[in-house]
Amino acid sequence: MYFIGITGGVGAGKTQVLDYLKQKEGVRVMLADEIAHELMEPGTTCYENIKEAFAEYDIFEENGHFHKEKLAKLLFSNDSFRQRLNAIVHPAVKEYVKEQFALEKEKDRLRLLVLEAALLIEEHYDEICQELWYIHTEPDIRRARLKASRGYSDKKIDEIMESQLDPEVYRKYCKEVIDNGGSLEDTHKQIDHALGRIRL
């Protein structure tokens, strides 16, 4: 079993790449965002740690779940709050990923395990994954996609793009660069070529 991490800027079209990989036999795709949401559900250690760290704030619903809008508002009101949450959630996600990697390796039923994470490089997933892939798309195409699919304003897109890594940093850490600015057929060819290189 081979383990790759996939990353790239917002609007690069990582979902299209993951959807194509999911169609292949013996491939499991994990999304760091989805893992984080699951780990923030009541009953988990991660949830209890967040609850303790933000005990004095009104961010809970009656059923004990986090009130997403209130939590988001709190996190954006102060950068230290976001750092506090990340310091709890990110290590928990990484631990879960390590556990799943060990589990899948033991079961020996997969050809490829894939992890998609926006902060793949920042969170040092290169220490776990056998290689990283960078999904690259030019900023003007990403901008157009984000406006069409999510209705983002230029200001919001600028803020997100500025907070993300420079393309050269992605290229430095990633063994494979998939250019996703053209046709889907072209993207699929690049993916197949990369999988051929690692003999999958």
Side-chain angles (χ1 to χ4, degrees):
M1 185 189 76
Y2 204 74
F3 188 18
I4 65 167
I6 288 181
T7 192
V10 65
K14 295 185 289 294
T15 303
Q16 293 174 332
V17 173
L18 298 171
D19 285 345
Y20 183 63
L21 287 169
K22 279 179 195 171
Q23 294 170 23
K24 298 189 175 290
E25 194 181 334
V27 176
R28 178 187 171 189
V29 172
M30 298 188 295
L31 308 175
D33 271 355
E34 282 187 7
I35 295 167
H37 288 307
E38 283 175 26
L39 292 176
M40 288 172 69
E41 288 291 310
T44 65
T45 305
C46 189
Y47 170 86
E48 293 302 330
N49 290 339
I50 297 167
K51 195 174 178 181
E52 190 180 327
F54 293 92
E56 70 258 47
Y57 300 100
D58 177 27
I59 54 168
F60 300 96
E61 294 179 354
E62 284 182 20
N63 61 8
H65 287 81
F66 292 109
H67 191 293
K68 289 178 184 176
E69 287 173 12
K70 286 181 179 178
L71 180 59
K73 195 175 179 182
L74 181 71
L75 297 177
F76 282 106
S77 71
N78 189 322
D79 203 47
S80 68
F81 289 145
R82 193 158 70 248
Q83 288 170 8
R84 193 190 302 182
L85 182 76
N86 288 345
I88 297 168
V89 177
H90 289 171
V93 170
K94 200 169 189 177
E95 199 52 44
Y96 175 88
V97 169
K98 283 180 179 177
E99 286 169 5
Q100 292 302 305
F101 175 53
L103 198 67
E104 293 295 3
K105 210 168 182 180
E106 193 181 315
K107 287 179 181 174
D108 196 26
R109 61 181 184 180
L110 295 180
R111 292 161 62 224
L112 183 67
L113 182 64
V114 179
L115 171 70
E116 185 277 320
L119 301 176
L120 203 72
I121 294 166
E122 295 93 323
E123 291 296 314
H124 306 289
Y125 277 98
D126 54 323
E127 296 167 1
I128 308 169
C129 300
Q130 283 158 285
E131 67 178 65
L132 306 185
W133 289 12
Y134 167 43
I135 312 307
H136 172 77
T137 305
E138 290 299 324
D140 57 331
I141 298 173
R142 290 163 56 199
R143 189 177 292 274
R145 285 176 182 170
L146 290 167
K147 284 181 176 180
S149 65
R150 303 187 199 178
Y152 285 0
S153 65
D154 279 314
K155 187 187 175 199
K156 183 163 186 174
I157 295 168
D158 287 341
E159 285 172 358
I160 298 170
M161 286 186 173
E162 282 167 20
S163 73
Q164 295 186 322
L165 296 176
D166 186 272
E168 291 314 306
V169 178
Y170 284 118
R171 289 177 187 275
K172 179 185 172 185
Y173 285 91
C174 297
K175 188 161 187 176
E176 198 70 47
V177 178
I178 306 289
D179 189 324
N180 195 30
S183 67
L184 263 181
E185 185 186 3
D186 184 48
T187 298
H188 293 168
K189 278 181 184 174
Q190 292 175 68
I191 295 167
D192 287 339
H193 183 267
L195 294 175
R197 174 180 56 75
I198 53 180
R199 295 192 170 93
L200 287 172

